[in-house]
Amino acid sequence: THLMFAGFDGVVEDGGDHWVVRSPRSPGYYWGNFLLYERFPTDADFGPWMQRFDEAIVRHAPRTGHRAFGIAPAAPAFEAPQAFVQAGFEVYCHATLLLGRGQLAAAPPAPALAIRPLDLSCEAEAVVELSAACNDDGYESEGYRAFRRHQMQRYAAMAQAGLGHWWGVLDGDRVVAGLGLFGRDGLGRFHHVETHPAWRRRGLCRALVHAACTAGLARWPQLVICADPDDVAIGIY
Protein backbone atom coordinates (compact mmCIF):
# COMPACT_ATOMS: atom_id res chain seq x y z
CA THR A 1 0.00 0.00 0.00
CA HIS A 2 3.00 2.30 0.35
CA LEU A 3 3.18 2.32 -3.45
CA MET A 4 -0.17 4.12 -3.44
CA PHE A 5 1.70 7.19 -2.16
CA ALA A 6 4.98 6.66 -3.97
CA GLY A 7 3.28 6.24 -7.33
CA PHE A 8 1.09 9.33 -7.05
CA ASP A 9 3.81 11.82 -8.00
CA GLY A 10 6.74 9.45 -8.43
CA VAL A 11 7.73 6.47 -10.54
CA VAL A 12 6.91 2.82 -9.82
CA GLU A 13 8.35 0.34 -12.30
CA ASP A 14 8.30 -3.45 -12.54
CA GLY A 15 11.92 -4.65 -12.41
CA GLY A 16 11.06 -8.33 -12.88
CA ASP A 17 11.85 -9.81 -9.47
CA HIS A 18 11.46 -6.44 -7.73
CA TRP A 19 9.72 -3.06 -7.93
CA VAL A 20 11.64 0.17 -8.54
CA VAL A 21 10.33 3.24 -6.69
CA ARG A 22 11.68 6.71 -7.50
CA SER A 23 10.71 10.20 -6.33
CA PRO A 24 12.51 12.52 -8.76
CA ARG A 25 11.61 15.64 -6.79
CA SER A 26 12.84 14.19 -3.49
CA PRO A 27 16.00 12.10 -4.02
CA GLY A 28 16.82 12.11 -0.30
CA TYR A 29 13.55 10.44 0.70
CA TYR A 30 14.47 6.88 1.73
CA TRP A 31 11.05 5.35 1.15
CA GLY A 32 10.46 7.34 -1.99
CA ASN A 33 13.60 5.90 -3.60
CA PHE A 34 14.05 2.20 -2.98
CA LEU A 35 13.78 -1.30 -4.43
CA LEU A 36 11.00 -3.57 -3.18
CA TYR A 37 11.58 -7.33 -3.19
CA GLU A 38 9.22 -10.19 -2.44
CA ARG A 39 11.88 -12.39 -0.83
CA PHE A 40 14.53 -12.10 1.86
CA PRO A 41 18.11 -11.35 0.79
CA THR A 42 21.19 -13.50 1.31
CA ASP A 43 24.84 -12.50 1.48
CA ALA A 44 25.13 -13.38 -2.20
CA ASP A 45 22.51 -10.74 -3.05
CA PHE A 46 24.53 -7.83 -1.68
CA GLY A 47 26.51 -7.03 -4.81
CA PRO A 48 23.66 -7.54 -7.32
CA TRP A 49 21.17 -5.57 -5.20
CA MET A 50 23.56 -2.65 -4.79
CA GLN A 51 24.25 -2.64 -8.53
CA ARG A 52 20.53 -2.69 -9.32
CA PHE A 53 19.93 0.19 -6.92
CA ASP A 54 22.62 2.28 -8.58
CA GLU A 55 21.27 1.50 -12.05
CA ALA A 56 17.61 2.06 -11.18
CA ILE A 57 17.84 4.92 -8.67
CA VAL A 58 21.23 6.67 -8.51
CA ARG A 59 21.63 6.81 -12.28
CA HIS A 60 18.51 8.98 -12.44
CA ALA A 61 19.30 11.00 -9.30
CA PRO A 62 23.05 11.21 -8.56
CA ARG A 63 22.33 13.22 -5.38
CA THR A 64 20.74 10.14 -3.78
CA GLY A 65 22.80 9.58 -0.63
CA HIS A 66 21.30 6.33 0.63
CA ARG A 67 20.52 2.74 -0.30
CA ALA A 68 17.17 1.28 0.75
CA PHE A 69 15.47 -2.05 0.12
CA GLY A 70 11.95 -3.04 1.07
CA ILE A 71 11.14 -6.68 1.84
CA ALA A 72 7.52 -7.73 1.37
CA PRO A 73 7.19 -11.23 2.93
CA ALA A 74 5.76 -11.47 6.43
CA ALA A 75 7.94 -13.04 9.08
CA PRO A 76 8.06 -12.99 12.89
CA ALA A 77 11.65 -11.70 12.74
CA PHE A 78 14.27 -10.83 10.17
CA GLU A 79 18.01 -10.36 10.55
CA ALA A 80 19.94 -8.78 7.71
CA PRO A 81 22.70 -10.91 6.17
CA GLN A 82 26.21 -10.02 7.36
CA ALA A 83 27.19 -8.46 4.04
CA PHE A 84 24.42 -5.88 4.48
CA VAL A 85 25.14 -5.36 8.18
CA GLN A 86 28.83 -4.73 7.53
CA ALA A 87 27.89 -2.12 4.92
CA GLY A 88 25.86 -0.24 7.55
CA PHE A 89 22.32 -1.33 6.71
CA GLU A 90 19.69 -1.26 9.47
CA VAL A 91 16.46 -3.26 9.68
CA TYR A 92 13.09 -1.59 10.32
CA CYS A 93 10.04 -3.83 10.75
CA HIS A 94 6.37 -2.97 10.46
CA ALA A 95 3.21 -4.81 11.40
CA THR A 96 0.30 -4.42 8.98
CA LEU A 97 -3.15 -4.06 10.57
CA LEU A 98 -6.40 -4.39 8.62
CA LEU A 99 -9.84 -3.10 9.58
CA GLY A 100 -13.08 -3.92 7.79
CA ARG A 101 -16.61 -2.61 8.10
CA GLY A 102 -18.28 -3.80 11.26
CA GLN A 103 -14.96 -4.21 13.10
CA LEU A 104 -14.47 -0.70 14.46
CA ALA A 105 -14.35 -0.54 18.25
CA ALA A 106 -16.69 1.70 20.22
CA ALA A 107 -15.87 5.38 20.10
CA PRO A 108 -13.51 6.61 22.84
CA PRO A 109 -14.37 9.71 24.89
CA ALA A 110 -14.28 12.73 22.62
CA PRO A 111 -11.72 15.40 23.54
CA ALA A 112 -12.85 18.99 23.95
CA LEU A 113 -11.06 19.86 20.71
CA ALA A 114 -12.07 19.93 17.05
CA ILE A 115 -11.27 16.85 14.94
CA ARG A 116 -11.69 17.38 11.21
CA PRO A 117 -10.11 17.07 7.75
CA LEU A 118 -7.65 19.88 7.15
CA ASP A 119 -7.53 22.26 4.21
CA LEU A 120 -3.92 21.81 3.15
CA SER A 121 -4.07 24.81 0.86
CA CYS A 122 -3.86 26.96 4.00
CA GLU A 123 -3.18 24.58 6.92
CA ALA A 124 -0.21 22.56 5.64
CA GLU A 125 2.34 24.67 7.51
CA ALA A 126 0.60 23.85 10.80
CA VAL A 127 1.15 20.16 10.03
CA VAL A 128 4.82 20.84 9.22
CA GLU A 129 5.25 22.51 12.61
CA LEU A 130 3.60 19.53 14.31
CA SER A 131 6.04 17.20 12.54
CA ALA A 132 8.97 19.37 13.59
CA ALA A 133 7.84 19.09 17.22
CA CYS A 134 7.53 15.30 16.81
CA ASN A 135 11.03 14.89 15.34
CA ASP A 136 11.92 12.13 17.81
CA ASP A 137 14.62 10.71 15.51
CA GLY A 138 16.60 13.95 15.71
CA TYR A 139 16.74 14.89 12.03
CA GLU A 140 18.34 18.27 11.29
CA SER A 141 15.58 20.79 11.99
CA GLU A 142 15.38 22.94 8.87
CA GLY A 143 16.12 20.08 6.52
CA TYR A 144 13.34 18.05 8.11
CA ARG A 145 10.90 20.96 7.79
CA ALA A 146 11.76 21.28 4.10
CA PHE A 147 11.23 17.53 3.63
CA ARG A 148 7.85 17.63 5.38
CA ARG A 149 6.74 20.67 3.34
CA HIS A 150 7.48 18.71 0.19
CA GLN A 151 5.52 15.75 1.56
CA MET A 152 2.54 17.95 2.38
CA GLN A 153 2.51 19.23 -1.20
CA ARG A 154 1.99 15.62 -2.26
CA TYR A 155 -0.85 15.09 0.21
CA ALA A 156 -2.49 18.38 -0.77
CA ALA A 157 -2.44 17.22 -4.39
CA MET A 158 -3.85 13.82 -3.38
CA ALA A 159 -6.65 15.53 -1.46
CA GLN A 160 -7.32 17.80 -4.44
CA ALA A 161 -7.55 14.67 -6.61
CA GLY A 162 -10.23 13.28 -4.30
CA LEU A 163 -8.13 10.45 -2.88
CA GLY A 164 -8.62 11.30 0.80
CA HIS A 165 -7.77 13.82 3.49
CA TRP A 166 -5.23 14.88 6.04
CA TRP A 167 -6.92 14.91 9.45
CA GLY A 168 -6.08 17.02 12.47
CA VAL A 169 -6.93 17.66 16.10
CA LEU A 170 -6.94 21.42 16.61
CA ASP A 171 -6.39 23.65 19.61
CA GLY A 172 -7.52 26.88 18.01
CA ASP A 173 -5.43 27.24 14.85
CA ARG A 174 -2.74 24.89 16.13
CA VAL A 175 -2.68 21.28 14.91
CA VAL A 176 -1.70 19.15 17.93
CA ALA A 177 -2.26 15.73 16.34
CA GLY A 178 -2.65 14.59 12.77
CA LEU A 179 -2.67 11.79 10.23
CA GLY A 180 -3.29 11.12 6.58
CA LEU A 181 -5.92 8.73 5.22
CA PHE A 182 -5.93 8.21 1.47
CA GLY A 183 -7.01 5.37 -0.74
CA ARG A 184 -8.18 3.85 -3.98
CA ASP A 185 -9.52 0.55 -5.32
CA GLY A 186 -11.51 -0.18 -2.16
CA LEU A 187 -8.64 0.30 0.28
CA GLY A 188 -7.81 3.25 2.54
CA ARG A 189 -4.31 3.61 3.98
CA PHE A 190 -3.23 5.59 7.05
CA HIS A 191 -0.03 7.57 6.99
CA HIS A 192 2.17 9.46 9.44
CA VAL A 193 0.12 9.44 12.65
CA GLU A 194 1.63 11.87 15.18
CA THR A 195 0.75 13.78 18.36
CA HIS A 196 2.59 16.79 19.74
CA PRO A 197 4.73 15.73 22.74
CA ALA A 198 2.97 18.22 25.03
CA TRP A 199 -0.43 16.70 24.12
CA ARG A 200 0.33 13.00 24.43
CA ARG A 201 -1.44 10.61 26.81
CA ARG A 202 -4.70 12.57 26.62
CA GLY A 203 -6.53 10.21 24.27
CA LEU A 204 -6.14 12.49 21.22
CA CYS A 205 -4.59 9.86 18.97
CA ARG A 206 -7.25 7.28 19.83
CA ALA A 207 -10.05 9.77 19.15
CA LEU A 208 -8.41 10.98 15.93
CA VAL A 209 -7.86 7.49 14.53
CA HIS A 210 -11.44 6.51 15.42
CA ALA A 211 -12.90 9.58 13.71
CA ALA A 212 -10.84 8.97 10.60
CA CYS A 213 -11.79 5.26 10.61
CA THR A 214 -15.47 6.13 10.84
CA ALA A 215 -15.22 8.41 7.81
CA GLY A 216 -12.88 6.08 5.96
CA LEU A 217 -15.07 2.99 6.31
CA ALA A 218 -17.98 4.93 4.86
CA ARG A 219 -15.85 5.31 1.73
CA TRP A 220 -13.63 2.20 1.56
CA PRO A 221 -14.57 -1.33 2.74
CA GLN A 222 -11.15 -1.90 4.27
CA LEU A 223 -8.50 0.23 5.96
CA VAL A 224 -4.83 -0.55 6.57
CA ILE A 225 -2.23 0.92 8.89
CA CYS A 226 1.44 -0.02 9.22
CA ALA A 227 3.11 0.36 12.61
CA ASP A 228 6.22 -0.50 14.55
CA PRO A 229 5.32 -3.75 16.39
CA ASP A 230 7.41 -2.64 19.38
CA ASP A 231 5.99 0.89 19.71
CA VAL A 232 3.28 1.75 22.23
CA ALA A 233 1.13 3.29 19.48
CA ILE A 234 0.28 -0.12 18.01
CA GLY A 235 -1.82 -0.79 21.12
CA ILE A 236 -3.93 2.25 20.27
CA TYR A 237 -4.48 1.08 16.73
Side-chain angles (χ1 to χ4, degrees):
T1 57
H2 180 78
L3 302 185
M4 182 190 307
F5 296 88
F8 177 77
D9 57 358
V11 178
V12 177
E13 297 176 335
D14 187 348
D17 67 341
H18 64 282
W19 292 93
V20 177
V21 179
R22 294 200 309 272
S23 296
R25 295 174 56 206
S26 187
Y29 178 28
Y30 286 14
W31 299 116
N33 301 275
F34 70 103
L35 304 185
L36 175 63
Y37 285 86
E38 296 184 5
R39 66 175 178 85
F40 295 107
T42 66
D43 284 310
D45 290 314
F46 178 76
W49 283 27
M50 294 292 283
Q51 181 178 352
R52 288 175 188 171
F53 190 96
D54 288 346
E55 293 172 349
I57 306 292
V58 180
R59 180 169 61 89
H60 297 275
R63 291 185 297 138
T64 303
H66 69 273
R67 302 292 185 275
F69 302 100
I71 312 297
F78 167 68
E79 293 185 7
Q82 280 302 303
F84 289 84
V85 173
Q86 292 171 3
F89 279 88
E90 297 177 280
V91 176
Y92 297 90
C93 296
H94 286 94
T96 302
L97 309 179
L98 297 172
L99 180 72
R101 289 172 178 164
Q103 295 181 306
L104 185 61
L113 296 172
I115 299 178
R116 61 171 174 81
L118 301 178
D119 180 355
L120 295 182
S121 67
C122 60
E123 295 181 301
E125 190 63 23
V127 180
V128 171
E129 288 306 309
L130 170 63
S131 294
C134 297
N135 182 11
D136 298 329
D137 291 321
Y139 297 117
E140 188 276 321
S141 179
E142 288 310 309
Y144 187 59
R145 277 186 169 87
F147 168 71
R148 289 299 296 152
R149 286 190 185 101
H150 181 267
Q151 292 288 291
M152 295 316 297
Q153 291 173 4
R154 165 193 281 179
Y155 303 131
M158 293 181 74
Q160 185 67 29
L163 297 178
H165 297 286
W166 201 271
W167 287 73
V169 180
L170 292 97
D171 176 26
D173 294 332
R174 184 184 186 189
V175 178
V176 296
L179 59 80
L181 179 55
F182 298 89
R184 58 174 40 150
D185 301 326
L187 183 68
R189 211 270 202 177
F190 283 93
H191 196 64
H192 211 82
V193 184
E194 57 189 0
T195 303
H196 192 287
W199 289 82
R200 292 173 184 170
R201 297 178 179 83
R202 303 190 192 187
L204 298 189
C205 181
R206 190 181 301 273
L208 174 62
V209 170
H210 193 280
C213 281
T214 300
L217 289 172
R219 179 172 183 176
W220 302 291
Q222 194 169 52
L223 306 178
V224 60
I225 191 167
C226 295
D228 182 344
D230 298 320
D231 190 273
V232 66
I234 197 169
I236 297 173
Y237 308 147

